[in-house]
Amino acid sequence: MVGERVQFRSEKWRQTEARIIRAAADLFLEHGFRATTVRAVARAAEVSVGRVMSVGDKDAILVACFDRWIGQLQDGTYSPLPRRASLSKRGAGTAPRASAGTGVSANATYAAAPGPPRATSAVQRHLPELFLPFLEFFAAHEDLSRDYAAAMMRVKAEPEVFNALALDLQGRLSESLISIGIDDGHARASAAALYDSYLGILFRWAATTMTLSEASDALLATIAFHTRARGPL
């Protein structure tokens, strides 16, 4: 009986925490990070300010929101809300156009980029499609993404983007690399390197004047390097 009450309270807390994250996510997308207050999140989630703070401060909540968005992008359940225009307008007009499906067209990016090698296999064309929706999301919410990059440096907890979300995406990358004849050991190592490169490119994009096209080119060049067939370790 006691165990059931504890389980009930635990589940109720998880539901409340999820409601707080959803409310914060909507407010961040609509108003931006700096204009959103903890009090506004509490009102939107219909909880007390103290309950919001028990989830974390604004930095921690923003990181949790990005974990949620990245998870949705990875499993294909993300539904974009009408987005707030970027305040800085940096890189306007440089983002690749979205394809008729989801994410940015990898083929169009390869064709438009003069520097990186062109795709030579279906896998080389498929791998950018795993990454480009994230680049597109960051570009669509440029100011919020830069605030996220800064918040990641301040929070003490380890975000899911370094844990379960990382393992999931690396698993997909590894499977694609194995499918073109790269042995299992090299595929896993290259998948981890690709994931680290992707994170590095995102943070570099958020912290510098790097454009989305330049970020895409850097990612494509990294993919081209790691999709070369290798022998056993």
Side-chain angles (χ1 to χ4, degrees), residues 60-79:
I61 291 173
L62 179 62
V63 170
C65 288
F66 267 85
D67 278 344
R68 178 174 179 263
W69 289 322
I70 290 169
Q72 291 172 340
L73 287 165
Q74 285 186 200
D75 63 23
T77 61
Y78 177 73
S79 298

Side-chain angles (χ1 to χ4, degrees), residues 26-89:
D26 291 345
L27 290 171
F28 287 148
L29 288 175
E30 183 177 357
H31 302 293
F33 177 71
R34 298 174 194 183
T36 298
T37 64
V38 171
R39 191 173 297 279
V41 174
R43 281 198 304 269
E46 299 181 334
V47 298
S48 68
V49 170
R51 182 57 65 89
V52 174
M53 292 302 294
S54 70
V55 175
D57 60 13
K58 273 180 60 177
D59 284 339
I61 291 173
L62 179 62
V63 170
C65 288
F66 267 85
D67 278 344
R68 178 174 179 263
W69 289 322
I70 290 169
Q72 291 172 340
L73 287 165
Q74 285 186 200
D75 63 23
T77 61
Y78 177 73
S79 298
L81 296 173
R83 66 182 176 88
R84 175 175 175 267
S86 169
L87 295 177
S88 67
K89 307 297 183 186

Side-chain angles (χ1 to χ4, degrees), residues 5 9 45 50 71 76 78 95 117-118 122 134 138 140 158 164 169 175 206 233:
R5 286 199 298 270
R9 286 197 296 269
Y78 177 73
R118 290 181 176 273
F134 306 113
F138 271 61
E158 192 165 298
L169 187 52
E175 289 174 3
L233 285 171

Side-chain angles (χ1 to χ4, degrees), residues 127 130-131 169-178 191 194-195:
L127 287 179
L130 294 178
F131 287 116
L169 187 52
Q170 287 179 39
R172 300 185 197 187
L173 292 168
S174 183
E175 289 174 3
S176 293
L177 294 169
I178 290 170
L194 279 170
Y195 188 79

Side-chain angles (χ1 to χ4, degrees), residues 126-198:
H126 171 66
L127 287 179
E129 293 174 358
L130 294 178
F131 287 116
L132 291 179
F134 306 113
L135 289 175
E136 187 181 43
F137 180 87
F138 271 61
H141 306 286
E142 180 179 337
D143 297 314
L144 191 60
S145 298
R146 292 211 299 272
D147 288 324
Y148 167 61
M152 288 274 280
M153 303 298 291
R154 295 190 293 259
V155 296
K156 295 180 180 179
E158 192 165 298
E160 283 303 303
V161 73
F162 296 135
N163 293 309
L165 294 174
L167 292 175
D168 176 69
L169 187 52
Q170 287 179 39
R172 300 185 197 187
L173 292 168
S174 183
E175 289 174 3
S176 293
L177 294 169
I178 290 170
S179 74
I180 59 170
I182 295 177
D183 69 88
D184 185 71
H186 273 111
R188 282 187 280 108
S190 289
L194 279 170
Y195 188 79
D196 287 342
S197 296
Y198 145 70

